Amino acid sequence: MYKQRVVIKVGTNVMTNKDNRIVKPVLDHLVQQIAELYEQDIMSILVSSGSVIAGMEVMGDSKITDKGTRRQVYSAIGQPRMMRHYYNIFQDYGMKCAQVLATKRDFNPGNHRENMINCYEGLLSEGVVPIANEDDAVTLTDSMFSDNDELASLVAELTKADKLIILTDTDGLFTGHPDDEDTEVIENVTVDQNVEKYIKTIKKGEAEGRGGMGSKLNIAKMTANKNIPTYIANGKRKNVILDIIEGKNVGTKITV
């Protein structure tokens, strides 16, 4: 039996550079940390963005004018490319991974939910790292998650995870704009604390992820309310996952 289960969500902005290209060394370091956790009998479930960007790398500019359809096409092309990246890297560390795609409806009570539970439990029992993502190729409107943070929260609840780690491109929740000199990271937040006032809106490009800090905080509080401590931290920081598991003050921790 494994000591812990941890869900790790990695966002698009963590794994891409300013030119919206996948940065493979970032993925490699992510898997390296997951492999180290595995050696400590800690099993990881990875919720990974990146399929749309990966599809754009293959296709380049698309002639499809409808934004939703364009996203579906990019994702359908990019999913196998992302999994090939992960498959090869996990193989380098002597590990196996598997893809688990889902829509929001799959988490509703019923056969789909039970089938997902069985799938996750089967993979984890065999030491295989599940890699979850939204099934962008078939999801639109009501079947879409607000973002992959919501998917990660639902997966954490579904698998009875001990922790949820949301990796983004900032060091956590700040007392002001991250670029301001006098701003500081808020290390600990409880679900009843009003820290929403600190969130600053930063516009993002169309190719990037949907979830901003406001969404992350909302999802983190919702997850923490289910007795799953949740962390928001910088995924580009060296050994960020290992440091969180070791109890170091990294990023923002949200608890009940």
Side-chain angles (χ1 to χ4, degrees), residues 104-207:
K104 196 169 184 177
R105 289 193 294 258
D106 293 327
F107 287 88
N108 294 332
N111 289 336
H112 283 196
R113 180 181 177 88
E114 293 304 314
N115 287 339
M116 275 205 302
I117 291 173
N118 292 338
C119 180
Y120 277 112
E121 292 299 329
L123 291 170
L124 294 170
S125 70
E126 293 290 337
V128 179
V129 177
I131 301 179
N133 195 10
E134 180 173 14
D135 194 353
D136 287 313
V138 299
T139 54
L140 284 174
T141 60
D142 61 333
S143 63
M144 289 180 69
F145 301 99
S146 60
D147 48 54
N148 267 357
D149 300 321
E150 183 184 16
L151 171 59
S153 176
L154 291 169
V155 169
E157 180 186 12
L158 188 81
T159 58
K160 297 180 172 62
D162 297 284
K163 292 180 177 64
L164 168 61
I165 300 174
I166 298 175
L167 297 179
T168 183
D169 58 349
T170 61
D171 292 329
L173 178 63
F174 286 83
T175 56
H177 194 285
D179 294 335
D180 294 344
E181 291 183 4
D182 58 347
T183 191
E184 296 178 347
V185 174
I186 304 173
E187 294 182 351
N188 293 285
V189 172
T190 58
V191 294
D192 57 354
Q193 268 184 282
N194 179 19
V195 291
E196 282 76 7
K197 61 186 178 181
Y198 294 118
I199 295 171
K200 305 295 181 182
T201 302
I202 303 173
K203 292 184 179 180
K204 296 185 175 184
E206 177 185 334

Side-chain angles (χ1 to χ4, degrees), residues 16-69:
T16 56
N17 58 21
K18 62 181 180 180
D19 297 320
N20 281 325
R21 306 286 293 183
I22 301 292
V23 182
K24 292 181 183 178
V26 172
L27 300 183
D28 186 87
H29 185 53
L30 175 69
V31 175
Q32 178 190 347
Q33 293 176 85
I34 291 173
E36 290 192 36
L37 293 183
Y38 184 80
E39 292 299 318
Q40 301 174 35
D41 291 330
I42 300 173
M43 200 64 196
S44 301
I45 300 162
L46 182 60
V47 178
S48 175
S49 303
S51 63
V52 174
I53 292 290
M56 291 174 65
E57 287 182 343
V58 174
M59 278 197 68
D61 292 334
S62 171
K63 297 178 182 178
I64 300 171
T65 56
D66 181 75
K67 183 178 178 180
T69 304

Side-chain angles (χ1 to χ4, degrees), residues 8-16 23-34 46-47 86 165-172 174 213 216 231-244 250-252:
I8 301 163
K9 183 265 181 175
V10 56
T12 304
N13 290 336
V14 174
M15 63 177 67
T16 56
V23 182
K24 292 181 183 178
V26 172
L27 300 183
D28 186 87
H29 185 53
L30 175 69
V31 175
Q32 178 190 347
Q33 293 176 85
I34 291 173
L46 182 60
V47 178
Y86 281 125
I165 300 174
I166 298 175
L167 297 179
T168 183
D169 58 349
T170 61
D171 292 329
F174 286 83
M213 185 55 72
K216 285 174 173 46
Y231 302 77
I232 301 173
N234 194 332
K236 295 185 178 181
R237 183 183 186 276
K238 184 175 176 60
N239 292 329
V240 60
I241 300 169
L242 300 177
D243 286 346
I244 288 173
V250 178
T252 299

